[in-house]
Amino acid sequence: MTIGLLTDASGFPLMVNAFEGNKAETATMLPVLRSFQAAHGITGVTVVADAGMLSRGNQIAIEQAGLSFILGARLPSVPYVIAQWHRDHPDAEAVPDGLVLTESMPAAPTDGRGHWWVYYRYAHDRGRRTLKGIADQVAKAEKAVAGKTPVKRNRFVRLEGGTRSVNRDLEAKARALAGWKGYVTNLPPDQADAEFIMAAYHRLFQIERSFRMSKHDLQARPIFHHKRESIEAHLTVVFAALAVTRHIETATGMSIRKFVKTTLRYREVVIAAGDQLITAADPLPDDLRHAIDAISAPRAVH
């Protein structure tokens, strides 16, 4: 089965849906969004996701539904604005760290979409790591071409008939793209500038935390696993536990593991002495008392 979990920008869970296991992820997002909008009467929604989560058809469908999106952009080739920057700066030793380039993508009459924008940002550390990986892969490709090692999965090895060669064109393209990250959106710059778009995308790590579950987190499996009602009941329990977990972590600044291990040390017992009931408990330390007060404090409703 496929689970569709919708969260807010901080990773707090908003809605969970179950889909058949043979349904692609790209076919689950719109139904979850529409269900959430119908349940809460919401019209304006901005979808933030990795590039692989949405096909181009999904992007157009989201836009036609009146929604906006911020996505990681795929870079199958060197974008024009990046190539143009290198042409304009032939003597530059390196791309400046943090450089942002903007590409406007006006719609053609047959595109079925509106005006999109793509922002490209260069990060020196990302480029350094990527170039090192490319160098290692090319070195392995050269050994495979020379017959020193067997040919395995290596994108820089070109096989044409019985001839092996190093794909230097692909190597050049990979080096040109090293360090660049793309972000595509249909939000106009006067509503959301490049910094807002990139910051929104990089908050995805908060959302990803909500999806990281080990098998031990889902020990309470449905007894009648072939019944949809049982599965949905189980997901409701997991969804509620996840919401409580994120609330505790946000309110206290502690991981849920640390919070549980800390609070388990302090218990309250009731002792019956004749007709009297005596309550005994270890005094809570100040940090735990502050954490419990923070959890109990009134908060904005999600």
Side-chain angles (χ1 to χ4, degrees):
M1 60 186 295
T2 299
I3 304 301
L5 179 63
L6 181 66
T7 77
D8 66 6
S10 67
F12 189 88
L14 300 175
M15 176 172 282
V16 65
N17 291 79
F19 299 92
E20 294 78 1
N22 60 355
K23 181 168 288 190
E25 290 182 347
T26 54
T28 62
M29 185 170 291
L30 270 178
V32 173
L33 289 172
R34 287 172 178 150
S35 177
F36 180 75
Q37 286 181 283
H40 299 279
I42 296 176
T43 56
V45 174
T46 299
V47 179
V48 183
D50 284 323
M53 286 295 297
L54 289 177
S55 65
R56 186 176 181 85
N58 284 143
Q59 297 173 30
I60 295 175
I62 285 177
E63 186 173 60
Q64 290 176 346
L67 309 180
S68 54
F69 59 81
I70 298 173
L71 305 172
R74 297 181 182 275
L75 302 180
S77 59
V78 180
Y80 173 81
V81 291
I82 295 178
Q84 185 61 44
W85 188 91
H86 284 288
R87 286 192 291 268
D88 294 340
H89 303 81
D91 298 328
E93 295 182 1
V95 181
D97 188 31
L99 175 66
V100 176
L101 301 177
T102 303
E103 181 179 12
S104 178
M105 298 175 61
T110 58
D111 284 347
R113 63 170 177 85
H115 199 129
W116 293 358
W117 290 264
V118 186
Y119 300 99
Y120 304 98
R121 185 174 188 176
Y122 180 84
H124 175 74
D125 287 342
R126 184 191 301 123
R128 176 179 52 80
R129 293 191 302 268
T130 304
L131 288 173
K132 182 180 182 302
I134 293 172
D136 293 341
Q137 288 183 305
V138 170
K140 292 179 181 179
E142 291 173 344
K143 290 182 180 180
V145 169
K148 298 179 181 179
T149 59
V151 177
K152 296 182 179 180
R153 290 186 177 180
N154 189 310
R155 60 176 179 152
F156 295 111
V157 175
R158 175 187 289 160
L159 297 175
E160 294 179 345
T163 305
R164 305 175 185 175
S165 63
V166 179
N167 193 335
R168 297 300 180 182
D169 293 337
L170 183 59
E171 178 190 356
K173 186 189 78 170
R175 291 185 180 278
L177 291 174
W180 290 99
K181 175 68 178 178
Y183 313 82
V184 59
T185 182
N186 62 344
L187 290 169
D190 59 346
Q191 294 184 17
D193 60 12
E195 290 301 323
F196 176 87
I197 297 299
M198 292 183 288
Y201 179 84
H202 286 288
R203 283 200 300 270
L204 274 178
F205 80 94
Q206 291 288 352
I207 287 84
E208 289 170 353
R209 286 178 56 205
S210 296
F211 290 85
R212 295 193 189 115
M213 296 183 186
S214 67
K215 292 182 179 179
H216 301 291
D217 296 326
L218 298 173
Q219 286 181 348
R221 303 302 174 94
I223 297 175
F224 301 104
H225 56 82
H226 62 283
K227 292 185 177 180
R228 187 176 185 89
E229 294 82 0
S230 180
I231 294 174
E232 290 180 348
H234 173 64
L235 287 177
T236 301
V237 174
V238 174
F239 178 78
L242 179 58
V244 172
T245 296
R246 295 308 299 266
H247 173 65
I248 292 174
E249 291 181 335
T250 302
T252 65
M254 303 167 64
S255 68
I256 192 63
R257 179 185 294 275
K258 181 179 180 181
F259 179 80
V260 171
K261 290 181 67 175
T262 302
T263 53
L264 280 177
R265 295 201 301 266
Y266 300 93
R267 302 188 181 188
E268 184 179 277
V269 296
V270 178
I271 303 172
D275 296 333
Q276 293 183 333
L277 296 177
I278 303 173
T279 301
D282 290 332
L284 297 180
D286 291 340
D287 58 345
L288 183 55
R289 172 61 63 189
H290 293 326
I292 294 176
D293 291 341
I295 295 171
S296 305
R299 288 184 170 269
V301 178
H302 284 274

